[in-house]
Every structure is written in structure tokens, then in C-alpha cells.
Amino acid sequence: MGRVILALDQGTTSTRAIVFDTSGKPLADASRPLRQSYPADGWVEHDAEEIWTACQAVLREALSKSGRPVADVAAIGITNQRETVVVWDRRTGRPIHPAIVWQDRRTADVCEGLARAGVEPRVSEVTGLLLDPYFSATKIAWILDKVPGARARAEAGELLAGTMDTWCIWNLTGGAVHATDATNASRTLLFDIQAQVWSAEMLELFEVPGALLPKVLDCAGDYGETTAELLGAAVPIRGVAGDQQAALMGQGCIHPGEMKATYGTGCFMLLNTGESRPVSGARLLTTVAARVDGRTTYALEGSIFVAGAAIQWLGEGLGITGGPRAAEALARMARPGNGVVVVPAFTGLGAPWWDADARGAIFGLTRDAGLAEIAAATFDACALQTRDLVEAMQADAPDAFGAEAELRIDGGMSRSAWFSQRLADLTNLPVCRVSYEETTALGAALFAGLGAGVFADLEEAARARPDGERLVSSIDDHARESAYARWLDAVSQVRGTV
């Protein structure tokens, strides 16, 4: 029956395991929901021990449901919610504080203070990132400062820290391996993405002892073996990548100019720029796309704060019942060329605008405009924000965009053929909609297969991704550019308002 690969996808709201065959076909899966706690305004925490318990359960259940013996498992691949961190006792394995989630904003004042001190240009030069509590460094420092005795213990080598991949690896191997991969390391504000090492300068700036941190390995590398007790026999761990980079791999974006966008509550868009590390003029993030056989490739990353959440707002805010499908059905009834524009800046505007003070608005209402036109404009806003990112990425990395550029999409909104077509219409890019949505777990499996020798190289691994439907623009240039001009005008009017 051949070998299989077991992927562990430790996400923000759930932990999932999927068994794939070597052609990329899913055979079985299992999942467990993950509780989030909100102990204070802007704080978001996870119970790291709950995560570890869920990891064990889903790995066992998925393998059992597949009907395959543990001897058939070539390797385990891990992907994870990025930036979320936990600090634990090296001896007991117990966390000293709940994991602080990537969404958490408790260290915003620290980041603002560092920005006022003028260090952000240097931070970006070294790490490719911006000063924001989103990333891991200030979360680690906060734990060390707030838990009594933690900083002294960290400096004495008694504590370990890591993102969720590191926590999973350490537990899977029975505490034998303390490691992360280059993609997760590149999201901490502590990693020199050019030199591919922990930056002594950043460790000092953010007051994080280097003894806490894991070793950094390739995405397809040797992360040790699980304990035999977990699945009945030791299984090698051979692939690790943060969730968005794993999705990039799962979409087969291994060459410069290949890009993917994941449409969930918000949207993450990554453009592979190859071995060239771009410097963004639009304050996009530069991040590690992958590191394989010691070769590092980079990506530009942009985020849209509100994508699927805007469709949710149609129901919760405007009373359009029936969920996303009903909202789409209503949107498809809108009068063509109605001129309505919705800017869903509910929590400000993300890349490339970076305006936290912007607020949402509706423009172009006329007497014959109604809920259908507002619904259509809300879907279009997701596509038009994507074009904003495309325009910024084209300016930042012109050499990465060729004549054959296309946008590969996944996530909840990609299920809609109608939205996918609007995305092609308004970006003027071919849009490839995958037939299988779990591209993040698939990417982890492909990296693990590569690390285990199941695939000879990246090209062979990427060929295991699922086929997709390719959509091209169906509107003329005038209609497209008019829609984008209206969008830009609307954005200019909401920026900096309260």
C-alpha cells in the first residue's frame, strides 16, 4: 500500500492531524478544538498542556482511522500557529505561564517605546519584520519579567522557550530535541534572516537570554523521533514550517513569483521572491519562505485584517441571515455598475496602508441601492484589498513578477467560485482555486516527505499538491480600473478618522 506521512497542524482554534499518502491524497484526519482565554483587554492565551494533550489524541486517532500500521508512517510533519510562545521548565516540562497567542496585544506599549527610540529601521533590516506585539520577542520578555524569578532562571539555563512547533517537538521527543525551523524563527524578531542565526543584537535589544532558544533547522530536516509510547513505535519527525509558509508549500509556490493567499477571518498573502531578500517600500514583511538543504528562500508577506470577517459582518451587523452562502446569493443580485464601495476597516487598515485609526465606511449609496449592492461591495472589498497587496508586491519585487504570474488561493472564501471569479476580475490575475483546502497540513507533510527521502527534491514534492480550477478575468480594463479608482478614493476618505 506504500508509505504515508502524518501531518500535525497545531492551529489557533484547533489541533488537527491528517494522514496523507505520498501522492498528497488525504486518507484520514482527526481534530480537537482549542480553548482561548482572554484574561484582560487585548490579552489572548492558550493552555500549552491542553495543546500537547490534543496533539497526542489527534495523532493517534488519525492514524487509527487510516487503518495503516505505524510502520507505514515515513515521517511526521508539523505546522503551527506562528508567533505564539510558551516558556517552560527544562527539568519538569511544565509551562511557567500560559502560552501568549499571536493575537495578544499586551506588549504594545513596549513596541511603541522602541519605535519612538528610533530602532525600528534596524530591527527591520535584521529581521525583516516591524515592531509589533504580534511577534514573539516581547511576549517572551514579558513572561520573564512578570513571572517571579523567571528571568534569573532563564539566564541560569533552567528554562526553555519556543513557538508551538518547538513545544510540540520537545514533547513528541520526550524532551530530547529543542528545535524550531527557519520559518518560525523568522517570526520572532530575534532571528537574523540574512545570516540565518539568532541575532545577538536583537536578543540584547529585546532582553531575551539566548539560552532559552531552540536550535534552528531546515524545514525538511532531522527533528528526532517520537517516543515509542506515542504511537506504538518511534516515528521520525522530518518537516516543520509555520502555517503560512506551510500553505505556500502546499500550494506548490516554490519558485520566485509564485504566490498564494489564504482567505480566513483575514487574509495572508505571500509572494515567493527566491533567494533574493526584498526590502519593502510599503512596509510589507520580509520573511523566510523555506530553508531546504541549507538554501534559504524568502517571501514578501502582506495581511488583510478583515476578509471573511466582513462577510460575517453582513449577517451580524446588517441582519443578512443564512450565513456566507446567503450573503453571496444576495450579492449576485446586485445591480451592475451601482458604484457602492464598502471599506471594511473595522480594526484599521493593514498592508500596505498600516493605518490603525482608519474606520469602516460605505460610499456611493443612492436611492436604488440596497442590501444586495452593499453585500456585493463587501465581497469586492476583499478582492480590492488583495489588489492593494499585489500592487505593493509588484513595486517591492518587480523581478519576481513574470508574465505568467497567478494567484493561488485557499481558505474559506475560496470555496466560492463566484468570489474567486471576482478576485480574478478585480486583480487581473489568473486565480487558481485548489480542490483540497487543507493546504497548510499538506505543506507540512510535503516538507516531512522531503526530509524523509520520500521525495527526491522540492519539485517532486510540489507535484503532489492537488489540482485546481483556473479562473481568468471576465471584465474589461475600464470596468476594472474604474472599480479600483473608486476603492482608492474611498480608502483615502477613511484613513486617520475615528
Side-chain angles (χ1 to χ4, degrees):
M1 296 177 68
R3 309 297 300 279
V4 297
I5 304 168
L6 187 51
L8 176 63
D9 183 354
Q10 200 296 294
T12 308
T13 58
S14 69
T15 301
R16 172 172 294 192
I18 303 178
V19 180
F20 292 93
D21 68 17
T22 55
S23 69
K25 178 183 177 182
L27 304 177
D29 68 86
S31 65
R32 295 287 186 278
L34 176 58
R35 292 181 298 109
Q36 290 188 328
S37 60
Y38 308 92
D41 183 35
W43 292 26
V44 189
E45 295 179 349
H46 284 161
D47 181 340
E49 291 186 296
E50 178 190 350
I51 288 173
W52 167 230
T53 298
C55 288
Q56 298 172 78
V58 297
L59 286 168
R60 290 168 176 153
E61 182 181 343
L63 185 59
S64 175
K65 288 167 70 174
S66 75
R68 304 296 288 271
V70 66
D72 283 357
V73 181
I76 289 175
I78 298 171
T79 185
N80 57 288
Q81 51 169 320
R82 302 176 304 174
E83 297 95 17
T84 298
V85 292
V86 61
V87 178
W88 67 95
D89 185 299
R90 179 193 292 270
R91 184 180 60 83
T92 67
R94 297 295 301 274
I96 67 169
H97 188 275
I100 301 181
V101 180
W102 59 272
Q103 300 155 312
D104 190 282
R105 307 296 295 176
R106 75 185 67 185
T107 60
D109 58 338
V110 175
C111 294
E112 290 165 4
L114 289 169
R116 287 193 300 270
V119 301
E120 186 171 65
R122 179 57 181 164
V123 170
S124 295
E125 181 182 358
V126 174
T127 70
L129 307 177
L130 303 174
L131 280 171
D132 196 279
Y134 174 52
F135 304 111
S136 309
T138 56
K139 302 181 194 309
I140 297 172
W142 187 95
I143 292 173
L144 297 183
D145 289 334
K146 298 301 181 180
V147 175
R151 183 165 291 281
R153 295 183 65 201
E155 291 170 349
E158 297 176 12
L159 303 179
L160 299 175
T163 43
M164 286 298 102
D165 58 308
T166 302
W167 171 246
C168 292
I169 293 163
W170 195 85
N171 281 288
L172 288 167
T173 62
V177 178
H178 184 222
T180 189
D181 85 295
T183 68
N184 277 296
S186 75
R187 311 297 296 187
T188 61
L189 280 174
L190 299 171
F191 193 63
D192 185 327
I193 62 171
Q194 192 68 44
Q196 290 291 294
V197 295
W198 296 117
S199 166
E201 182 182 358
M202 295 299 109
L203 292 172
E204 181 179 0
L205 177 66
F206 290 103
E207 300 181 315
V208 174
L212 278 173
L213 300 178
K215 59 184 176 182
V216 181
L217 305 178
D218 286 2
C219 299
D222 184 350
Y223 291 84
E225 297 181 335
T226 68
T227 61
E229 292 78 16
L230 179 67
L231 296 172
V235 177
I237 305 168
R238 293 294 182 266
V240 179
D243 53 9
Q244 298 306 318
Q245 286 93 336
L248 194 71
M249 179 64 183
Q251 286 276 24
C253 298
I254 62 172
H255 300 114
E258 294 177 332
M259 57 187 157
K260 72 90 192 175
T262 299
Y263 292 89
T265 300
C267 170
F268 288 96
M269 182 172 166
L270 273 72
L271 167 72
N272 187 321
T273 63
E275 294 182 65
S276 171
R277 176 193 166 184
V279 176
S280 176
R283 303 187 81 224
L284 301 180
L285 304 179
T286 304
T287 194
V288 173
R291 197 174 87 188
V292 175
D293 292 330
R295 173 177 170 263
T296 303
T297 54
Y298 296 95
L300 279 173
E301 178 174 326
S303 58
I304 297 169
F305 292 164
V306 176
I311 312 307
Q312 187 178 20
W313 165 76
L314 290 173
E316 295 176 353
L318 298 186
I320 298 174
T321 60
R325 289 188 178 181
E328 178 187 320
L330 181 62
R332 296 175 72 165
M333 296 169 58
R335 178 172 50 82
N338 60 79
V340 175
V341 179
V342 171
V343 183
F346 305 141
T347 56
L349 288 169
W353 309 110
W354 296 114
D355 190 337
D357 293 326
R359 290 295 178 265
I362 303 173
F363 297 92
L365 290 175
T366 56
R367 181 64 182 82
D368 56 353
L371 284 178
E373 285 69 32
I374 293 172
T378 303
F379 278 95
D380 280 358
C382 299
L384 292 161
Q385 289 178 100
T386 304
R387 175 159 174 183
D388 285 340
L389 292 179
V390 169
E391 295 281 336
M393 289 180 176
Q394 284 179 320
D396 285 341
D399 294 340
F401 271 82
E404 302 302 315
E406 64 181 21
L407 180 62
R408 300 173 186 176
I409 64 170
D410 52 59
M413 293 185 72
S414 71
R415 298 172 190 162
S416 167
W418 177 78
F419 169 72
S420 301
Q421 181 61 59
R422 288 300 290 165
L423 193 57
D425 290 343
L426 294 172
T427 62
N428 201 28
L429 284 174
V431 169
C432 294
R433 187 166 70 107
V434 295
S435 57
Y436 176 65
E437 293 179 16
E438 298 295 340
T439 54
T440 301
L442 176 60
L446 297 181
F447 277 128
L450 186 60
V454 172
F455 306 115
D457 52 33
L458 272 172
E459 298 283 348
E460 183 179 346
R463 286 197 291 272
R465 76 182 184 95
D467 295 330
E469 177 186 15
R470 194 170 194 266
L471 304 167
V472 298
S473 178
S474 61
I475 65 174
D476 60 38
D477 291 345
H478 176 73
R480 179 184 311 107
E481 296 309 313
S482 295
Y484 192 51
R486 288 193 298 271
W487 166 257
L488 292 178
D489 180 64
V491 167
S492 72
Q493 296 187 62
V494 304
R495 293 190 64 190
T497 61
V498 178

